[in-house]
Amino acid sequence: MRPERTESRDANRARAENLGDSKVRAWDLPTRLFHWTLVALVANAWLTFRYSSEIGDPVLFWHRINGYAILVLIAWRLIWGLVGSSTARFSSFVQWPWRAAGYGLDLLRGRDRHFLGHNPLGSYMVLALLAAVAAQGATGLFAVEHNDIMAGPLYRLVAEDTWKWLTAWHTWFYYWVLLVFIGIHLTANVFYRVVKKDPLIEAMVTGVKPAAAYEDAPRAEISAGTGGRALVCLVIAAALVLGSIRMLGGRLL
Ligand code: HEM
Ligand code: HEM
């Protein structure tokens, strides 16, 4: 084990013990709201396509609105990764690949290492999920419904062969990439919760974790005014996504 890692772990343990609290803050409210809204909207994306006839929506109006909302959320998360609270920032959890590999090896050897935010391996899962959801939404912007009665707002920007390909991709990607990533994500979360007894699912709900000797930080730094800052970021994200579609000549509705 490298000496600086031992030192920082000892420092974190000392700080955690000094807090005297049994719980420390792990996630700010906007990050938690982002997560559970994303889960609901990804589920709703499937529902609004699968049951479009039953809800009298042959032009997939709700599916498209839902897709725009997902794209805005992803843009919001990218901005929040730069200006959000400490554990939400990319700089706090995106690690070099060899650190993720080292963490993975420790996991296989049964050596427990604890992180307050995303662990080095989990951080790659988070990036993969964000990228996959973004790719799903982006291909939707070019998708044309199989009966040709409606289309994503940007399909005219590309040749017919390309939008046909992107439409096929939109379907294929959902079942073979996004759902697979979500399956791995759920399996990993259940593994940590059940086998490692790490209350990480509760933490994504309540925002707190037991005080412990975490390697990354003893507690999250969440400043006053986080909610207001998150709302400003949401307005910027919506303007960026919807404004770009309009500027590219797409009709949103
Ligand atoms: C549509 C399904 C889902 C998607 C797309 C998804 C996506 C994500 C993303 C992007 C993050 C990173 C959060 C951030 O830093 O902003 C995350 C974290 C997390 N998700 Fe999900 N999620 C899904 C379903 C679930 C479900 C059903 C659960 C609960 C069983 C769950 C539990 C968690 C937990 C505990 C974390 C934090 C992991 C950690 O501590 O490193 N997710 N998820
Ligand atoms: C991350 C967001 C999105 C998800 C998870 C998603 C998911 C899906 C799914 C599961 C299907 C059905 C595939 C099938 O079984 O045939 C579908 C079809 C479709 N989606 Fe999306 N979608 C998203 C965003 C969008 C957006 C933003 C648009 C356009 C504004 C869009 C337009 C379409 C169209 C036109 C179809 C029909 C394609 C066909 O008939 O083959 N989607 N989407």
Side-chain angles (χ1 to χ4, degrees), residues 27 31 34-36 38-39 42 77 117-119 126 129-130 133 182 185-186 189 200-201 204:
W27 302 110
T31 305
F34 158 79
H35 180 265
W36 297 113
L38 185 68
V39 173
V42 169
R77 185 61 184 93
H118 301 305
N119 71 52
V126 168
L129 277 166
L130 291 174
V133 178
I182 291 172
H185 177 57
L186 293 186
N189 283 330
L200 79 176
I201 299 174
M204 228 342 130

Side-chain angles (χ1 to χ4, degrees), residues 32-164:
R32 288 178 280 143
L33 281 178
F34 158 79
H35 180 265
W36 297 113
T37 311
L38 185 68
V39 173
L41 292 183
V42 169
N44 199 42
W46 182 79
L47 289 172
T48 49
F49 178 82
R50 174 68 185 75
Y51 295 104
S52 57
S53 328
E54 285 82 346
I55 59 172
D57 181 24
V59 294
L60 297 181
F61 173 82
W62 289 113
H63 183 79
R64 284 179 286 148
I65 298 287
N66 192 78
Y68 297 143
I70 291 180
L71 286 172
V72 170
L73 264 189
I74 297 291
W76 177 87
R77 185 61 184 93
L78 296 182
I79 302 172
W80 201 238
L82 303 175
V83 303
S85 315
S86 59
T87 44
R89 292 198 184 205
F90 295 125
S91 58
S92 75
F93 67 83
V94 178
Q95 305 266 345
W96 293 107
W98 53 87
R99 293 209 168 203
Y103 175 87
L105 283 176
D106 282 342
L107 192 67
L108 288 175
R109 290 185 193 119
R111 207 184 122 223
D112 278 342
R113 290 172 59 187
H114 301 285
F115 287 80
L116 179 71
H118 301 305
N119 71 52
L121 202 55
S123 67
Y124 279 89
M125 186 74 250
V126 168
L127 295 179
L129 277 166
L130 291 174
V133 178
Q136 181 75 50
T139 50
L141 299 177
F142 299 89
V144 177
E145 204 262 345
H146 47 269
N147 296 321
D148 285 1
I149 53 171
M150 70 71 49
L154 299 184
Y155 86 101
R156 281 195 198 84
L157 290 184
V158 295
E160 185 174 341
D161 280 356
T162 312
W163 60 248
K164 282 194 171 151

